[in-house]
Amino acid sequence: MADKQCDALVIGAGPGGYVSAIRLGQLKQKTILVEKAWIGGTCLHVGCIPSKALITAAKFHEKLKHASDFGINVQGVSIDFPKMVHWERDIIEKFTGGIKQLLKGNSVETVMGVARFISPNEVEVTNGNSTITIAAKNIVIATGSVPSGIPPFPFDGERIISSTEALVLPEIPKRLLVIGGGYIGLEMGIMYAHLGSKVTVVEMMDQLLPGFDAELVRTLARSLRQKGIECHVNAKAKTFSGTVGNLNVTVEVEGSDRIFETDRVLVTVGRKPNTAGLDIEKAGLKTDARGFVPVNNKCQTSVSGIYAIGDVVGNPMLAHKASKEGEIVAEIIAGHNRVVDYLAMPAVIFTDPEIATVGLSESEAKEKGYNAGIGKFPFGASARALTQGATDGYMKVIFDRDSKQVLGFHIIGPDASDLIGEATLAIEMGSTVEDISLTVHPHPTLTETVMEAAKAALGEAIHIVNR
Ligand code: FAD
């Protein structure tokens, strides 16, 4: 007989697991949440939240450099980096406390320790010298992901760092070489450039942000150049030598070797699913060739009563995707008929300017057989963007010319991360560009650009000449 029993056992307290546990609690399921390290997971401790805290502080510093554009003279600006990191860690502590309260308030029992399967419905949890067993009618695997490395650049936490160490460095590196021009590498590269580092990004593929709309990437690349960030595509990092502050990295750029001197190397080549030590085979489960736990559109694994959610089941590796899957699984366990629908799944990159997308790109829409058209509105024509001194970028809607249905939104520009909310709702609701165009948007706000892009799709934009 197991030491504890419950209706639902959730393994991993990231945004997938803790949200699922809260929803299970709301649905009156006796729930236990097991976590080995961090309540809040990667997202809260070494991901979304600390990175966005530092990105915000760094952007503030960058803005101060341009304060005179607004008629404000600022002198003697300096950075107390340890204090900035302390502020970042303080936010994490506050939010962790909030989640703990929410778990308690929804009658979820939290058990700290490392979980591993001993059978399809029983898990052993070890914390130091103590071990307990928990039997559950349903088990949700929400063990997330960990940074991937590349063999010639093994992480040592000093010379070769991952995003985890980049969030708590003791000092701002004078020079930083970023291997991997995906979203984490670019967010962190821009952040350190805003703090004064000389940043170089090397990306093996032929464009930064591989897989993203080429027009968005071109606009971002221009802004990176203006910030003095050196970017190389078709560039394969091969070896390194030296110590912190004095590293030489050999990179094959467009076929020829080049040496880059740097203080530290940040490797951001992706993340891999985390099932290490979970003994999932004892539950009768197997991962796929890339290490993900295969699931159907109800997040059910091949074993009845075992579900998996979040980064451990596959892309997109995003916190809100993990949370949505967590809620759906909780409702399925409670007897509701639910499936996960990824149609309106936004993705945001907190670069400068920000990028946000949802739904289909123009080429995807054409491939799917839509008579796809676009409506585009530049932030340079937005009064609110002008008042913020942030006019780079555009708002683009992709729509079906026949039905006028909104199929996607691609944004690069100020507050894209917030503007994508309305775009996501439009897709979720099956809205047409006419619906958005007819909706009164407050003036002067950046939300008017959503409306103007929809109007542009109809040839009716007011603040640009329609073509
Ligand atoms: P995780 O958050 O990884 O949580 C898994 C939890 O399981 C961890 O707490 C781990 O300790 C625990 N665990 C693992 N194994 C066991 C075990 N055997 N027993 C007990 N516990 C276990 N996403 C966004 O949407 N927006 C962003 O802006 C964003 N920024 C990011 C920035 C960075 C630098 C990084 C690294 C990631 C970022 N992400 C962002 C991605 C986001 O953090 C992940 O998609 C999200 O955390 C996945 O949630 P999850 O619940 O699946 O897993």
Side-chain angles (χ1 to χ4, degrees):
M1 172 98 165
D3 298 313
K4 288 177 185 282
Q5 280 162 29
C6 57
D7 297 322
L9 169 68
V10 182
I11 307 173
Y18 87 74
V19 168
S20 195
I22 288 173
R23 188 76 188 111
L24 282 158
Q26 288 172 352
L27 293 163
K28 308 291 174 227
Q29 304 293 304
K30 184 173 172 354
T31 303
I32 298 178
L33 174 64
V34 182
E35 168 57 47
K36 69 173 177 186
W38 303 307
I39 301 296
T42 302
C43 171
L44 179 53
H45 293 263
V46 292
C48 326
I49 306 305
S51 63
K52 266 80 257 183
L54 288 187
I55 285 168
T56 304
K59 201 166 168 184
F60 187 48
H61 177 251
E62 173 68 12
K63 279 205 158 186
L64 285 176
K65 282 197 219 153
H66 303 283
S68 63
D69 297 352
F70 297 83
I72 303 168
N73 297 318
V74 182
Q75 269 134 27
V77 176
S78 65
I79 299 171
D80 181 343
F81 194 56
K83 190 168 176 187
M84 194 183 282
V85 172
H86 189 271
W87 166 74
E88 166 214 324
R89 299 329 280 181
D90 215 35
I91 294 169
I92 297 169
E93 211 172 295
K94 280 194 192 114
F95 211 80
T96 305
I99 296 174
K100 285 183 182 166
Q101 287 300 323
L102 288 169
L103 290 166
K104 209 165 145 197
N106 284 289
S107 309
V108 175
E109 181 183 349
T110 304
V111 174
M112 294 306 292
V114 182
R116 70 176 191 93
F117 280 97
I118 47 179
S119 78
N121 59 1
E122 208 168 334
V123 157
E124 185 183 83
V125 180
T126 306
N127 188 345
N129 293 330
S130 93
T131 296
I132 60 163
T133 52
I134 305 173
K137 289 184 201 147
N138 300 281
I139 298 180
V140 182
I141 302 172
T143 47
S145 63
V146 289
S148 298
I150 38 175
F153 295 86
F155 293 122
D156 61 12
E158 294 286 336
R159 295 172 304 172
I160 311 299
I161 58 172
S162 71
S163 56
T164 302
E165 291 83 29
L167 294 165
V168 287
L169 283 181
E171 83 293 314
I172 299 166
K174 286 197 179 61
R175 298 163 303 175
L176 180 69
L177 180 82
V178 181
I179 301 179
Y183 88 92
I184 294 179
L186 292 185
E187 284 187 1
M188 295 211 155
I190 292 175
M191 174 188 102
Y192 274 110
H194 281 169
L195 292 173
S197 304
K198 169 76 189 95
V199 175
T200 304
V201 179
V202 295
E203 164 57 51
M204 207 165 84
M205 307 297 277
D206 61 2
Q207 74 162 34
L208 297 172
L209 296 175
F212 270 77
D213 181 79
E215 191 184 4
L216 283 180
V217 177
R218 274 197 303 277
T219 309
L220 180 67
R222 199 172 52 235
S223 156
L224 295 177
R225 274 195 300 279
Q226 283 161 1
K227 290 179 194 303
I229 299 176
E230 197 182 316
C231 295
H232 299 276
V233 294
N234 296 315
K236 187 178 177 200
K238 285 165 60 173
T239 55
F240 76 100
S241 61
T243 51
V244 173
N246 190 18
L247 289 165
N248 286 320
V249 181
T250 307
V251 183
E252 188 184 315
V253 185
E254 309 274 2
S256 333
D257 281 0
R258 279 186 57 178
I259 309 282
F260 290 86
E261 293 175 355
T262 186
D263 291 9
R264 294 186 194 260
V265 177
L266 168 62
V267 177
T268 52
V269 293
R271 295 181 60 84
K272 56 181 181 193
N274 178 21
T275 50
L278 198 57
D279 288 353
I280 60 166
E281 56 296 335
K282 298 224 168 98
L285 288 170
K286 269 197 211 137
T287 58
D288 68 14
R290 293 192 298 157
F292 292 112
V293 178
V295 289
N296 63 13
N297 64 356
K298 289 176 174 284
C299 295
Q300 289 162 326
T301 66
S302 55
V303 176
S304 167
I306 304 185
Y307 302 78
I309 58 171
D311 283 6
V312 80
V313 303
N315 292 313
M317 288 194 183
L318 293 169
H320 44 271
K321 185 216 94 160
S323 298
K324 178 45 80 185
E325 289 172 346
E327 285 178 53
I328 299 271
V329 158
E331 289 167 11
I332 292 170
I333 289 173
H336 302 220
N337 185 14
R338 295 276 188 273
V339 291
V340 191
D341 171 10
Y342 298 99
L343 180 70
M345 187 60 70
V348 173
I349 308 181
F350 292 79
T351 41
D352 181 27
E354 292 181 349
I355 291 178
T357 67
V358 63
L360 303 178
S361 66
E362 196 182 351
S363 54
E364 284 168 343
K366 283 181 180 153
E367 271 163 35
K368 285 188 184 289
Y370 287 106
N371 180 12
I374 65 158
K376 197 169 158 194
F377 187 80
F379 282 99
S382 151
R384 185 62 183 131
L386 279 162
T387 65
Q388 295 184 352
T391 51
D392 264 2
Y394 56 84
M395 168 77 60
K396 181 159 86 175
V397 60
I398 291 94
F399 73 111
D400 178 30
R401 289 179 196 277
D402 301 332
S403 64
K404 304 282 184 288
Q405 192 185 344
V406 176
L407 302 174
F409 263 94
H410 289 241
I411 314 170
I412 178 162
D415 294 348
S417 54
D418 287 326
L419 294 171
I420 202 71
E422 178 181 351
T424 306
L425 183 66
I427 293 179
E428 186 67 43
M429 305 275 296
S431 304
T432 63
V433 278
E434 279 160 346
D435 294 325
I436 300 176
S437 161
L438 286 169
T439 305
V440 179
H441 286 66
H443 179 73
T445 64
L446 294 173
T447 66
E448 288 169 294
T449 61
V450 182
M451 174 184 71
E452 289 274 20
K455 285 183 185 295
L458 299 166
E460 297 169 3
I462 299 297
H463 290 93
I464 50 169
V465 177
N466 296 286
R467 297 191 196 283

